[in-house]
Amino acid sequence: ELAKQTTFVAFDASIEVHLKLGVDPRHADQMVRGTVVLPHGTGKKVRVAVFAQGEKAQEALRAGADEVGGEDLVKKIEAGWLEFDVAIATPDSMGLVGKLGKILGRRGLMPNPKAGTITFDVERAVKEVKGGRVEFRVDKTAIVHTPFGKSSFEPQALLENLAALVDAVNRAKPAGAKGQYLKSLTIANTMGPGIRVDLPGVLAAAVA
């Protein structure tokens, strides 16, 4: 309710979670990364590019991918086209995608098996991304920053999305993490104030 009330911009502001974790991301065994399908989606139209050939390319198109290709798609991106938000690739296409490492890597668009974006199950991956799957990753200051809805969402929908996201981060706790794992939770809309949220309450909502 408060995140909706403190939205003062003229557009439908995104609402983000900023979750402080008790990990040291400098150590490989304390990296936190994963994906979660938000029950009510993100409220954002996601454009998906798929690197696939043959039957897998047709599968991607049927699933609703915005752009599908192989060598032709690589050349298009090398020429400067980047009109997509998520890139998905079949494992046998990664030899081609590897040529785009510098271009896609800088923008955080490189397909990655941990993010579920390198897979032969193209149909499922496209539908999940389009339906509200988000990736979370801890940054170098041990904070996860991820959007989980829009200010136009009903409060209950925002709560359920937030609970699903926090639950996924909690389940992704690395073996190397010591002490308190979930330290603090703040939500904020675009250009709005940070709102501290009770962690036990969100975890209880996740269980519910």
Side-chain angles (χ1 to χ4, degrees):
E1 287 280 11
L2 198 51
K4 287 168 66 69
Q5 290 167 15
T6 53
T7 300
F8 304 112
V9 291
F11 52 89
D12 189 10
S14 292
I15 299 182
E16 290 189 348
V17 59
H18 305 279
L19 186 57
K20 178 74 173 175
L21 303 181
V23 297
D24 185 346
R26 293 174 299 177
H27 299 294
D29 65 343
Q30 294 189 46
M31 274 299 296
V32 178
R33 183 175 188 173
T35 61
V36 58
V37 178
L38 300 178
H40 301 282
T42 61
K44 178 185 176 184
K45 183 182 178 185
V46 181
R47 300 164 300 174
V48 180
V50 178
F51 296 90
Q53 300 169 65
E55 176 54 36
K56 289 298 174 183
Q58 295 305 310
E59 187 180 311
L61 287 169
R62 288 195 298 270
D66 299 275
E67 193 78 20
V68 181
E71 186 72 50
D72 55 331
L73 182 53
V74 170
K75 288 179 179 176
K76 188 174 179 179
I77 292 170
E78 284 177 332
W81 181 81
L82 285 164
E83 301 298 314
F84 59 96
D85 305 295
V86 176
I88 294 170
T90 54
D92 58 352
S93 297
M94 284 307 294
L96 290 172
V97 181
K99 299 176 186 177
L100 302 171
K102 286 186 178 179
I103 299 171
L104 300 182
R106 275 200 303 266
R107 294 168 174 79
L109 292 170
M110 196 69 182
N112 186 293
K114 289 184 179 178
T117 47
I118 298 179
T119 176
F120 278 120
D121 195 351
V122 174
E123 181 178 3
R124 178 181 174 185
V126 172
K127 286 182 174 177
E128 282 189 354
V129 169
K130 289 275 190 180
R133 187 176 80 184
V134 296
E135 181 182 359
F136 57 85
R137 183 176 185 174
V138 69
D139 69 8
K140 62 184 179 183
T141 63
I143 300 175
V144 170
H145 309 270
T146 309
F148 66 95
K150 295 281 189 177
S151 57
S152 59
F153 283 23
E154 290 299 315
Q156 186 61 31
L158 286 170
L159 174 60
E160 289 171 13
N161 275 2
L162 179 62
L165 178 57
V166 173
D167 183 55
V169 175
N170 196 30
R171 291 173 186 273
K173 179 180 180 179
K178 300 288 187 278
Q180 185 181 359
Y181 175 56
L182 301 176
K183 288 198 161 184
S184 68
L185 174 60
T186 303
I187 64 172
N189 60 65
T190 306
M191 296 173 69
I195 302 164
R196 289 292 292 271
V197 179
D198 178 54
L199 266 167
V202 175
L203 290 171
V207 172

